[in-house]
C-alpha cells in the first residue's frame, strides 16, 4: 500500500502502473459495472442483445469497431440502443488518444440522460475499452490516472497495453499541469 500512496502523490512510471494493474481484482466477467450505469465488457456480451436488454443498456461504445470479432453497428442493436464505434487496434503503436475526448463526451452525454446505461467493449474488455473508460473518469470525473485505475479495478480486471498507458499518462500529466498552473 505504501507504493500506491507514493504513486498517488507523484507521476507514476509505466512499471508502477503495471504493478497496480497486476494487483486487486484479478478476474472479470463478460460484463462488469465499473461506475454507476457504466459497464465494461467483451465481445461476447456485445453480441448478446437479450443480455444487454436485461441490463437496461441504452448506449454501446465499441472500442474495436470494424474489427473481425467486433463488427458492431446501429443496425445490429436496433432503435432502442445508440451506438458509437471507435476503430481502435490493440497495439501499443496505435494512437487511441485521439478518441479519448470524443469517447468521454459520448459516455458523459449518455450518462447525463435519465435512465441511460452505457456498455463499453472491445474484444476482451481489458485494453482498448478500459483505456477509454479510464479517460472518461479522468476527463469528466476529475480522477487521476492512478485513481481511475483503482476505481475500475474494484470491479474488473483491466490491463491496457503499454502504448495506451503512455497515452493515458500524457493525459494525466496535462491535467496535473493545468492544476499546478492555477
Amino acid at each position: 500500500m505504501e507504493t500506491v500512496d507514493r504513486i498517488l502523490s507523484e507521476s507514476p512510471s509505466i512499471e508502477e502502473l503495471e504493478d497496480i494493474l497486476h494487483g486487486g481484482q484479478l478476474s472479470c466477467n463478460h460484463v462488469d459495472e465499473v461506475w454507476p450505469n457504466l459497464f465494461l465488457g467483451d465481445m461476447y456480451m456485445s453480441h448478446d442483445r437479450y443480455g444487454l436488454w436485461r441490463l437496461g443498456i441504452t448506449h454501446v461504445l465499441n472500442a474495436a469497431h470494424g474489427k473481425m470479432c467486433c463488427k458492431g453497428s446501429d443496425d445490429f442493436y436496433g432503435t432502442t440502443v445508440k451506438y458509437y464505434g471507435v476503430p481502435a487496434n490493440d497495439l501499443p503503436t496505435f494512437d487511441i488518444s485521439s478518441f479519448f475526448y470524443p469517447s468521454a463526451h459520448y459516455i458523459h452525454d449518455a450518462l447525463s440522460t435519465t435512465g441511460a446505461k452505457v456498455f463499453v467493449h472491445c474484444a476482451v474488455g481489458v485494453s482498448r475499452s478500459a483505456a477509454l473508460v479510464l479517460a472518461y473518469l479522468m476527463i469528466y470525473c476529475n480522477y487521476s490516472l492512478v485513481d481511475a485505475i483503482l476505481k475500475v479495478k474494484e470491479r474488473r480486471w483491466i490491463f491496457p497495453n503499454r502504448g495506451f498507458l503512455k497515452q493515458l499518462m500524457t493525459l494525466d500529466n496535462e491535467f496535473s499541469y493545468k492544476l499546478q498552473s492555477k
Side-chain angles (χ1 to χ4, degrees):
M1 197 61 170
E2 179 183 316
T3 303
V4 172
D5 291 336
R6 186 186 59 70
I7 292 171
L8 288 173
S9 63
E10 300 174 11
S11 292
S13 70
I14 196 89
E15 291 80 11
E16 289 169 326
L17 287 176
E18 288 177 335
D19 285 344
I20 293 170
L21 289 164
H22 280 296
Q25 181 67 271
L26 297 176
S27 64
C28 51
N29 301 301
H30 291 298
V31 62
D32 294 291
E33 187 175 15
V34 297
W35 184 256
N37 299 319
L38 179 58
F39 297 79
L40 183 55
D42 62 19
M43 70 176 170
Y44 177 86
M45 191 65 196
S46 74
H47 297 149
D48 183 359
R49 286 184 286 212
Y50 178 69
L52 294 173
W53 174 80
R54 281 192 9 229
L55 288 172
I57 299 300
T58 58
H59 294 74
V60 170
L61 192 166
N62 177 356
H65 176 76
K67 306 306 170 205
M68 288 302 268
C69 57
C70 294
K71 291 186 177 183
S73 68
D74 289 314
D75 295 337
F76 178 77
Y77 294 106
T79 58
T80 59
V81 174
K82 292 190 167 118
Y83 177 83
Y84 180 66
V86 171
N89 291 318
D90 191 13
L91 298 170
T93 55
F94 184 83
D95 182 11
I96 199 167
S97 68
S98 63
F99 297 103
F100 286 167
Y101 280 93
S103 296
H105 186 70
Y106 177 79
I107 294 168
H108 178 74
D109 280 356
L111 293 178
S112 298
T113 305
T114 304
K117 292 184 178 183
V118 180
F119 174 58
V120 182
H121 77 89
C122 55
V124 182
V126 299
S127 186
R128 288 171 281 198
S129 55
L132 295 179
V133 167
L134 293 172
Y136 162 74
L137 292 173
M138 295 166 67
I139 294 166
Y140 279 99
C141 302
N142 300 315
Y143 274 72
S144 69
L145 175 56
V146 171
D147 288 336
I149 289 170
L150 292 171
K151 188 65 178 168
V152 172
K153 283 195 57 66
E154 288 174 8
R155 301 288 185 89
R156 183 178 184 83
W157 184 80
I158 58 170
F159 209 91
N161 72 49
R162 278 189 161 209
F164 295 172
L165 284 176
K166 288 177 184 175
Q167 294 168 58
L168 287 163
M169 290 168 67
T170 299
L171 181 66
D172 194 41
N173 290 335
E174 289 170 9
F175 287 130
S176 295
Y177 176 77
K178 287 177 185 175
L179 287 174
Q180 290 173 358
S181 63
K182 283 187 176 182

